Amino acid sequence: EKGLEHQLEQQRQAEELAKEATTDQLTGLANRRRFDVELERAFAEYRDSSRPMAVIFSDADRFKSVNDTHGHAAGDAVLIELARRMSATVGDAGTVARYGGEEIAVILPGMGIDDAAVLGERIRADIAATPFDVASVECDVDLLNVTVSVGVTATDADEPGRYTTV
């Protein structure tokens, strides 16, 4: 019995380490390493089945000025809230990952360009619609207006006679 408990504890610790290795510590999103793995998996599924896949890239507009003007604590609060809002909007449709500093990407297996463009616009609009509450961190303002730029691509984006802009 003790051996089983020990084995289960080791397994739990190994799973925790694996999660830490693929999770962005600040935002809780998938990190760049996991993004790369999930993208390869989604693309392999597309190659094998011709089921489309899409990727949304977003970048917080003028993010450097948030850090420069209001401090890194405010910048971190903005990144955490961006992650929360994007995850809520995407739901279980895909994997939301912190791609770089203020860049967040979404991998959407099984989604074509039209649906991905709609989702990308919803992400952009949802973020712009409500100021970010940064009152909990030490900075000179309580609310910040945040916007993101969004780009969308998909495996079916270049079908002849078709184009989509976001």
Side-chain angles (χ1 to χ4, degrees):
E1 180 145 331
K2 230 177 191 145
L4 180 60
E5 276 182 33
H6 179 71
Q7 193 176 350
L8 288 171
E9 177 60 19
Q10 280 188 313
Q11 185 177 344
R12 188 194 63 73
Q13 287 177 349
E15 287 170 1
E16 206 169 284
L17 281 173
K19 184 174 187 237
E20 278 180 30
T22 61
T23 302
D24 177 65
Q25 298 222 311
L26 177 66
T27 62
L29 295 176
N31 64 12
R32 176 66 184 271
R33 177 184 298 164
R34 183 151 147 235
F35 171 86
D36 291 343
V37 168
E38 295 293 330
L39 183 63
E40 182 56 43
R41 182 179 299 150
F43 197 72
E45 187 179 312
Y46 159 70
R47 273 194 322 260
D48 294 345
S49 69
S50 295
R51 195 170 155 240
M53 62 155 292
V55 180
I56 297 172
F57 282 98
S58 71
D59 197 332
D61 299 326
R62 296 177 298 284
F63 184 75
K64 186 179 178 326
S65 73
V66 170
N67 280 331
D68 292 349
T69 307
H70 306 292
H72 287 279
D76 286 352
V78 165
L79 289 173
I80 291 165
E81 181 62 10
L82 267 177
R84 189 194 68 71
R85 290 189 191 186
M86 286 186 69
S87 294
T89 302
V90 171
D92 60 6
T95 300
V96 183
R98 186 170 178 196
Y99 188 78
E102 71 280 8
E103 301 162 354
I104 298 176
V106 184
I107 301 168
L108 300 159
M111 191 175 289
I113 189 69
D114 294 331
D115 290 337
V118 168
L119 182 57
E121 172 55 22
R122 190 171 339 130
I123 288 168
R124 190 206 59 73
D126 286 353
I127 289 166
T130 309
F132 283 39
D133 184 344
V134 292
S136 64
V137 298
E138 205 170 303
C139 73
D140 55 350
V141 295
D142 289 342
L143 294 174
L144 281 173
N145 290 312
V146 176
T147 58
V148 293
S149 297
V150 175
V152 181
T153 190
T155 54
D156 64 342
D158 62 352
E159 287 180 3
R162 240 179 100 147
Y163 69 95
T164 303
T165 57
V166 177

